[in-house]
């Protein structure tokens, strides 16, 4: 394969941009058209979301991982190099979006002409706006019969202060007007501010793992040039590497002789572990150190769940699968954890529920492992007041990920729970239902704004644990799928939290303990007891299933004992004969209950811990 010569693209003819939008507004389809117009891929009917390479992405029709591609385009006699990054739209992956923006100088903001502005559009716009990138608004799907581009233009003008005449109306599916987008990119987006004569400075904004070649790092060059054989150093780990290959991605890897300042490409340098290609790291030439680039805020996990192998014999396979997958998905945090019922496992931190499901699906598809995931929890904090505990932990605030570590109320001055600022964009006819839903979830209204005569933007402060399980699903079903939801971290606030234990015949079961808000404890305790009653097998003695807060029992279900019919042999005779036999049986059962212990089978745990929809 002929290696490309990248020196014919000086800095001023390079444009780096990414495509941002709400879920399903047509980012990946627009990317397909741009790739076709520039001749990067051949025009066939099969080009559907070419950049969504993962099986998960294909099945669910969503983008999970940002993908980059370089396009060559001739505009007014000059050859331009355009580096396009297609980004995910879901709120869970906004970390991917903010990372991609760091390698860009401009964005295409895609809005669906049918749906109008939705919550994610707003969130992604502000990400780009804060990064001071030039923004090209594009209204997509004008070929749909319900499309109303004028309304959408007014919304864009009202919310983002972008004049309506700047909006480009396109249909990415049919390719209408897409050329215009490319011309706009060249006119409006500035070339990168950097120089080939400077020393090498490269930002690692993504990395993937290849079984044969080790880590493939995606880099954006902010100065200098890089070629095979160069000795480079990582600013983060201070390790030295020799470059084996550099190139550009025209979705597929295309090796080149060199990469120059302003270009975006990939680099393979014999890094064995993805931990070495730290995202946000700066690479520079050996003996020519530079000031490292600012990097990224590390992603904050919002949801924690325990992950355990189905059989302990599979522990090592799962361990290596997890290590490889976290290479490709750096925003998952992993802590070792073990539980009495489920054995050794991990506590994983995810950015959201969709992220957790996708991660689980990728483990199954790409590494063929099946796992048990426990119900998701959120990280709480406790401000300690007892001097003994402060000394033991070395600080006066501790983060509680596992309910087993929940400190006693006497030694804590206050408990804190994480909150998020949620934005809901909805048609106004659903507003009543949605406000009621938010109030049920202990949310506080911060703001309400009419975007146009029939769309409303609501802002609420939510406790994170209230929205983590099923808020999104409920919101969608209340609003017939029209409302959209987006959230960002808003720090911690004090809350009335308690630890709820589950007792079987008076003995606490450690795995079923949960941390919960005081107001919700009764309902949740009752539900758990009912669910356990259905799953625990009956014994020869009675089992009391109780939910308790400290010493106080708040809910109880009784699992009746199996009993033999001892009075079958009595025909007639006096009632006292019957009473005597029943009394003897009852005494036997009482004795058995004293010495019998309840073994909760593993599948009962799994059934209770997996979150099932409330019956």
């Amino acid at each position: 394969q002929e290696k490309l010569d990248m020196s014919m693209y000086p800095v001023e003819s390079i444009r780096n941009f990414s495509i941002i939008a709400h879920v399903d507004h047509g980012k990946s389809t627009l990317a397909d058209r741009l790739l076709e117009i520039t001749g990067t891929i051949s025009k066939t009917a099969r080009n559907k979301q070419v950049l969504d390479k993962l099986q998960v992405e294909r099945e669910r029709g969503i983008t999970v991982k940002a993908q980059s591609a370089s396009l060559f385009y001739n505009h007014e006699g000059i050859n331009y190099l355009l580096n396009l990054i297609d980004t995910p739209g879901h709120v869970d992956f906004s970390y991917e979006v903010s990372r991609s923006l760091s390698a860009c100088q401009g964005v295409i903001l895609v809005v669906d002409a049918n749906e109008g502005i939705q919550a994610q559009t707003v969130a992604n716009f502000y990400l780009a706006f804060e990064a001071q990138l030039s923004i090209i608004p594009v209204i997509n799907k004008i070929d749909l019969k319900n499309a109303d581009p004028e309304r959408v233009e007014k919304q864009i003008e009202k919310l983002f202060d972008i004049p309506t005449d700047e909006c480009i109306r396109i249909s990415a599916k049919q390719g209408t007007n897409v050329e215009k987008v490319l011309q706009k990119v060249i006119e409006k987006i500035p070339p990168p501010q950097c120089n080939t004569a400077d020393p090498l400075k490269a930002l690692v904004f993504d990395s993937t793992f290849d079984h044969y070649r080790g880590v493939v790092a995606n880099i954006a060059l902010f100065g200098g040039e890089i070629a095979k054989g160069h000795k480079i150093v990582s600013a983060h780990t201070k390790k030295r590497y020799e470059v084996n290959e550099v190139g550009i991605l025209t979705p597929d890897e295309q090796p080149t002789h060199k990469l120059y300042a302003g270009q975006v490409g990939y680099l393979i340098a014999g890094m064995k572990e993805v931990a070495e290609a730290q995202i946000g790291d700066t690479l520079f030439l050996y003996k020519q150190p530079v000031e490292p680039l600012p990097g990224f805020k590390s992603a904050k996990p919002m949801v924690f769940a325990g992950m355990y192998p189905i059989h302990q014999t599979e522990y090592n396979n799962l361990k290596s699968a997890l290590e490889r997958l976290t290479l490709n998905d750096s925003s998952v945090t992993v802590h070792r954890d073990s539980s009495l019922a489920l054995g050794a496992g991990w506590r994983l931190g995810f950015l959201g529920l969709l992220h957790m499901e996708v991660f689980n699906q990728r483990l199954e598809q790409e590494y063929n492992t099946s796992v048990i995931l426990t119900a998701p929890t959120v990280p709480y904090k406790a401000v300690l007041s007892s001097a003994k505990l402060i000394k033991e932990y070395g600080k006066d605030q501790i983060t509680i990920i596992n309910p087993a570590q929940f400190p006693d109320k006497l030694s804590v001055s206050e408990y804190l729970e994480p909150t998020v600022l949620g934005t809901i964009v909805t048609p106004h006819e659903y507003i009543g239902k949605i406000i009621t839903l938010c109030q049920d979830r202990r949310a506080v209204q911060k703001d309400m704004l009419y975007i146009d005569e029939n769309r409303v933007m609501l802002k609420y402060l939510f406790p994170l644990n209230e929205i983590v399980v099923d808020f999104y699903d409920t919101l969608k079903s209340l609003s017939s799928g029209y409302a959209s939801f987006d959230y960002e971290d808003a720090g911690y606030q004090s809350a009335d939290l308690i630890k709820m234990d589950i007792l079987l015949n008076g003995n606490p079961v450690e795995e079923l303990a949960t941390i919960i808000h005081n107001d919700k404890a009764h309902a949740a305790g009752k539900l758990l007891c009912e669910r356990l009653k259905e799953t625990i097998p009956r014994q020869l003695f009675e089992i009391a299933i109780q939910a308790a807060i400290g010493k106080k029992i708040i809910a109880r279900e009784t699992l009746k004992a199996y009993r033999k019919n001892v009075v079958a042999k009595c025909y007639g005779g006096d009632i006292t004969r019957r009473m005597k036999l029943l009394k003897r049986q009852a005494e036997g059962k009482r004795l058995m209950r004293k010495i019998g212990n309840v073994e909760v089978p593993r599948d009962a745990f799994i059934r209770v811990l997996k979150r099932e929809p409330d019956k």
Side-chain angles (χ1 to χ4, degrees):
Q1 188 173 345
E2 181 71 10
K3 284 196 172 180
L4 291 167
D5 177 21
M6 299 302 288
S7 57
M8 46 195 275
Y9 296 102
V11 176
E12 45 280 359
S13 60
I14 297 176
R15 302 285 183 272
N16 300 330
F17 65 98
S18 66
I19 306 181
I20 57 175
H22 187 77
V23 188
D24 267 354
H25 280 199
K27 289 182 292 295
S28 299
T29 314
L30 176 59
D32 293 345
R33 287 304 85 76
L34 296 178
L35 290 173
E36 281 177 26
I37 287 176
T38 53
T40 314
I41 53 179
S42 52
K43 285 193 181 171
T44 57
R46 284 201 312 280
N47 291 339
K48 287 213 168 58
Q49 282 93 7
V50 183
L51 292 178
D52 292 351
K53 295 191 178 85
L54 299 175
Q55 193 181 343
V56 185
E57 300 184 316
R58 291 236 158 270
E59 283 177 10
R60 292 174 172 247
I62 59 178
T63 308
V64 172
K65 204 157 168 24
Q67 294 286 353
S68 45
S70 298
L71 328 171
F72 304 104
Y73 183 61
N74 191 317
H75 178 60
E76 294 174 359
I78 305 171
N79 282 332
Y80 285 94
L81 168 68
L82 310 175
N83 296 313
L84 151 93
I85 302 181
D86 181 28
T87 60
H90 288 80
V91 58
D92 295 13
F93 306 117
S94 59
Y95 178 58
E96 289 273 338
V97 180
S98 64
R99 274 199 343 235
S100 312
L101 295 182
S102 66
C104 294
Q105 281 78 44
V107 294
I108 297 178
L109 178 72
V110 181
V111 187
D112 184 333
N114 201 13
E115 293 284 347
I117 285 179
Q118 289 185 285
Q120 214 61 47
T121 321
V122 180
N124 285 344
F125 168 80
Y126 284 115
L127 277 178
F129 189 70
E130 280 159 20
Q132 297 177 344
L133 306 180
S134 34
I135 295 167
I136 299 175
V138 165
I139 296 175
N140 189 12
K141 304 196 186 182
I142 54 169
D143 55 315
L144 294 179
K145 63 173 194 292
N146 293 345
D148 186 355
E150 285 84 18
R151 191 186 92 230
V152 180
E153 281 175 358
K154 287 195 191 102
Q155 290 180 4
I156 291 178
E157 187 171 40
K158 177 159 185 193
L159 268 186
F160 304 148
D161 281 340
I162 299 174
T164 47
D165 52 359
E166 282 187 26
C167 300
I168 311 172
R169 299 183 188 182
I170 65 161
S171 159
K173 197 169 188 177
Q174 298 177 349
T176 327
N177 255 348
V178 179
E179 281 266 1
K180 216 157 147 195
V181 176
L182 279 176
Q183 290 155 12
K184 223 22 188 284
V185 164
I186 289 171
E187 291 159 17
K188 291 259 320 224
I189 295 177
Q193 301 290 323
C194 52
N195 193 347
T196 320
D198 295 346
L200 170 72
K201 195 176 193 181
L203 169 76
V204 178
F205 65 92
D206 204 354
S207 60
T208 48
F209 187 72
D210 185 304
H211 293 296
Y212 304 110
R213 300 178 299 175
V215 178
V216 181
N218 287 15
I219 55 169
L221 268 71
F222 282 93
E225 52 182 57
I226 189 166
K228 185 178 173 176
H230 279 181
K231 303 258 187 312
I232 57 167
V233 184
S234 147
H236 182 74
T237 58
K238 307 280 183 277
K239 285 190 182 169
R240 278 174 57 187
Y241 305 100
E242 184 175 333
V243 181
N244 302 342
E245 183 185 329
V246 291
I248 56 170
L249 294 151
T250 57
D252 311 314
E253 289 164 7
Q254 173 108 3
T256 61
H257 292 296
K258 285 188 171 186
L259 281 179
Y260 297 91
Q263 297 173 357
V264 174
Y266 71 94
L267 156 114
I268 299 171
M271 302 180 181
K272 300 281 185 296
E273 294 175 10
V274 172
E276 298 176 37
Q278 189 70 33
I279 287 176
D281 193 0
T282 308
L283 304 175
F284 53 84
L285 289 177
Y286 182 54
K287 296 261 171 59
Q288 291 187 343
V290 293
E291 179 71 22
L293 294 156
F296 306 105
K297 298 200 294 273
S298 57
K300 277 178 78 171
M302 292 284 213
V303 181
F304 287 86
M307 182 178 272
Y308 300 93
I310 288 196
H311 297 292
Q312 277 302 307
T313 47
E314 292 170 12
Y315 181 82
N316 285 341
N317 301 350
L318 182 57
K319 184 175 173 199
S320 71
L322 261 181
E323 279 168 2
R324 287 192 203 136
L325 190 48
T326 43
L327 293 185
N328 283 348
D329 192 345
S330 62
S331 43
V332 178
T333 57
V334 183
H335 300 285
R336 292 281 301 279
D337 191 19
S338 66
S339 121
L340 293 175
L342 304 173
W346 296 268
R347 197 109 192 127
L348 300 181
F350 299 102
L351 302 179
L353 276 191
L354 179 73
H355 187 199
M356 177 169 110
E357 281 173 24
V358 166
F359 188 84
N360 193 12
Q361 201 174 336
R362 282 182 73 178
L363 265 184
E364 283 175 12
Q365 285 171 355
E366 295 173 32
Y367 300 98
N368 212 356
T369 54
S370 48
V371 293
I372 299 162
L373 267 179
T374 63
T377 57
V378 299
Y380 296 103
K381 282 186 178 168
V383 181
L384 304 173
S385 59
S386 91
K388 185 180 160 205
L389 271 181
I390 293 177
K391 195 174 172 190
E392 186 185 319
Y393 286 109
K395 50 184 191 282
D396 61 350
Q397 255 201 29
I398 56 167
T399 303
I400 311 153
I401 298 177
N402 205 336
Q405 308 153 341
F406 195 72
D408 193 51
K409 200 154 193 167
L410 300 170
S411 51
V412 171
S413 57
E414 65 170 346
Y415 295 115
L416 306 172
E417 64 177 353
T419 58
V420 292
L421 184 65
T423 309
I424 301 172
V425 176
T426 168
H428 67 101
E429 59 263 30
Y430 302 112
I431 219 167
K433 290 181 188 169
I434 289 176
I435 289 177
T436 320
L437 171 71
C438 295
Q439 282 166 351
D440 287 349
R441 300 301 173 101
R442 318 201 318 266
V444 182
Q445 187 170 349
K446 289 286 179 211
D447 187 16
M448 179 169 162
L449 171 77
Y450 272 81
I451 299 176
D452 58 22
E453 54 274 10
N454 44 16
R455 279 216 165 223
V456 187
M457 185 161 91
L458 302 163
K459 279 200 176 356
Y460 272 93
L461 196 64
F462 287 95
L464 181 58
N465 61 347
E466 291 293 333
I467 61 170
V468 78
V469 178
D470 57 350
F471 178 79
Y472 191 66
D473 302 346
T474 322
L475 179 72
K476 282 287 187 203
S477 54
L478 279 185
S479 66
S480 326
Y482 282 115
S484 56
F485 177 64
D486 170 76
Y487 58 82
E488 60 193 82
D489 189 38
Y492 280 76
Q493 68 176 20
S494 69
D496 184 6
L497 301 173
I498 43 179
K499 179 179 168 189
M500 183 172 74
D501 288 306
I502 298 290
L503 313 175
L504 295 181
N505 279 353
N507 302 323
V509 185
E510 203 173 275
E511 290 71 43
L512 296 177
T514 49
I515 300 174
I516 197 163
H517 194 270
N518 208 342
D519 305 344
K520 306 259 173 170
H522 283 261
K526 192 160 173 45
L527 188 75
L528 249 178
C529 290
E530 282 166 6
R531 211 178 272 177
L532 273 170
K533 185 181 177 180
E534 291 161 18
T535 50
I536 296 178
R538 281 172 71 183
Q539 309 283 345
L540 288 171
F541 49 91
E542 186 173 281
I543 302 176
I545 305 168
Q546 296 166 314
I549 298 171
K551 295 273 183 285
K552 184 179 163 207
I553 305 292
I554 54 169
R556 169 177 170 140
E557 291 287 332
T558 310
L559 195 59
K560 292 284 182 227
Y562 279 127
R563 15 187 297 218
K564 183 180 162 190
N565 186 2
V566 286
V567 292
K569 59 182 192 233
C570 297
Y571 282 100
D574 191 38
I575 183 89
T576 49
R577 314 286 310 143
R578 231 180 138 89
M579 298 310 291
K580 174 189 154 194
L581 291 170
L582 288 169
K583 196 169 169 194
R584 259 168 63 188
Q585 184 188 30
E587 264 163 25
K589 294 278 183 207
R590 198 171 308 133
L591 194 66
M592 209 190 283
R593 185 175 167 184
K594 262 188 202 139
I595 55 172
N597 61 351
V598 187
E599 284 283 317
V600 181
R602 214 179 146 122
D603 54 326
F605 267 120
I606 295 167
R607 250 181 287 165
V608 172
L609 289 176
K610 270 196 182 151
R611 41 172 251 270
E612 288 173 25
D614 306 346
K615 307 248 180 337

